[in-house]
Amino acid sequence: HTLLPQQQRQHSGVCLMQWAAACEDLQAFAAHHREVAPRRAPAHPNILAYAESTGAGRGERSGSGRLSSWVNSTRVLHMTHIAKTGGRSVRAELQKLRAPVGGAEQCYPPFVHPSRINIVFLRHPRAHVLSMYLHGAHSGRVARRRAAGYPWGNGTGGLAEGIGLWAAHFGEGWAPAHGDFWGYNPLNMVARTLTCSDPQWNADYVRTCSAPCAHHAGGRAADATPPRSAAVAAVHSADFIGLLELLDESLCLAEYRLKGALPPRCLCNADQ
């Protein structure tokens, strides 16, 4: 229906008051979040300099040393999937919170961008190495790896024998000429993925990479041991680091960052 001029003025005034109240609520929420938002871990000046030089670490900040909420962020979730850290399961859970979730098994630095919420999940080192071996032994291009001499442990020693032979292959003195059986190279896999620069995705379809890539160590023995400071810098530059062994807790924290509140499943009773 058509409003008379006086009614229009009253209606506009009511709308303005409602908008003002909404703005005040948003401002109060922002101020509250700045107070309770988790702090980013302290970083050495050299680490900050490295992150700045690589263009990493451009996450939104809401105050000195604090990360902002992602509630109203237009940035896209992007997960660098370090191989065998539960990437598919984690991605499926993150997509329930916000879709799409970009990323693949890839090097971290080439894909860090301020338009993305850069996510990395880590895993307990022993479980991580065991998962790499089992994948090579039983999943994917098994025939190709078997032809390349992948240690199976088919003798009396069974699985323990196989993983022992596999670990010994990559032990002290490993060089690219020794190869990795078309499989994962476990030497510093996390540090290599966080620092390598090859843009290939899912590089298990190639036998080697001339430069360090997400699966293979590269053409030099030194490529298997990247600088520790560079790997730590990458961790500090990420917007979110999750732990596979603490998947529920990690997802609760991610949901808090995305929605500004914890869901009931994330709230523990006093006796829990």
Side-chain angles (χ1 to χ4, degrees):
H1 62 280
T2 303
L3 295 176
L4 297 175
Q6 183 178 0
Q7 292 175 314
Q8 289 178 336
R9 288 193 297 272
Q10 292 174 343
H11 181 73
S12 299
V14 171
C15 290
L16 289 173
M17 291 175 63
Q18 291 174 338
W19 277 110
C23 287
E24 289 176 359
D25 289 342
L26 287 173
Q27 290 173 348
F29 170 78
H32 174 70
H33 189 83
R34 282 194 292 270
E35 290 298 321
V36 301
R39 290 184 179 273
R40 172 168 288 182
H44 190 276
N46 289 344
I47 292 175
L48 296 176
Y50 175 87
E52 180 65 24
S53 68
T54 59
R58 297 177 182 173
E60 299 163 333
R61 292 178 180 270
S62 58
S64 177
R66 298 178 185 272
L67 289 176
S68 70
S69 166
W70 299 334
V71 174
N72 296 312
S73 175
T74 59
R75 295 195 293 162
V76 176
L77 297 184
H78 185 94
M79 187 180 76
T80 296
H81 176 190
I82 299 175
K84 311 314 297 177
T85 58
R88 291 184 180 180
S89 300
V90 172
R91 186 186 307 279
E93 294 300 323
L94 288 173
Q95 286 179 329
K96 295 177 184 178
L97 302 178
R98 181 182 293 182
V101 178
E105 290 186 7
Q106 58 194 187
C107 293
Y108 173 76
F111 299 94
V112 174
H113 194 271
S115 66
R116 296 168 171 165
I117 295 174
N118 302 288
I119 298 171
V120 177
F121 265 75
L122 305 177
R123 186 178 187 178
H124 189 284
R126 289 186 177 181
H128 192 199
V129 170
L130 177 60
S131 183
M132 281 187 262
Y133 171 76
L134 292 175
H135 177 92
H138 301 291
S139 303
R141 296 167 173 80
V142 173
R144 178 179 290 178
R145 287 192 286 271
R146 180 174 293 181
Y150 198 93
W152 295 90
N154 292 331
T156 57
L159 174 62
E161 177 189 12
I163 194 171
L165 293 170
W166 181 75
H169 173 81
F170 292 101
E172 187 175 354
W174 180 88
H178 299 165
D180 55 17
F181 312 110
W182 288 84
Y184 296 120
N185 186 326
L187 295 174
N188 301 300
M189 166 70 88
V190 172
R192 287 185 3 244
T193 305
L194 291 174
T195 58
C196 60
S197 57
D198 191 292
Q200 296 182 83
W201 289 19
N202 302 330
D204 61 341
Y205 61 86
V206 297
R207 187 181 185 92
T208 61
C209 294
S210 57
C213 62
H215 287 185
H216 307 291
R220 305 176 305 150
D223 292 335
T225 310
R228 182 182 301 177
S229 60
V232 174
V235 169
H236 282 275
S237 72
D239 294 287
F240 187 86
I241 298 291
L243 299 176
L244 185 61
E245 285 77 14
L246 295 174
L247 179 58
D248 289 341
E249 292 85 347
S250 297
L251 291 172
C252 284
L253 179 56
E255 185 163 355
Y256 175 77
R257 301 286 301 284
L258 287 164
K259 298 183 178 181
L262 286 173
R265 64 179 175 80
C266 294
L267 301 176
C268 297
N269 295 327
D271 59 348
Q272 288 183 315

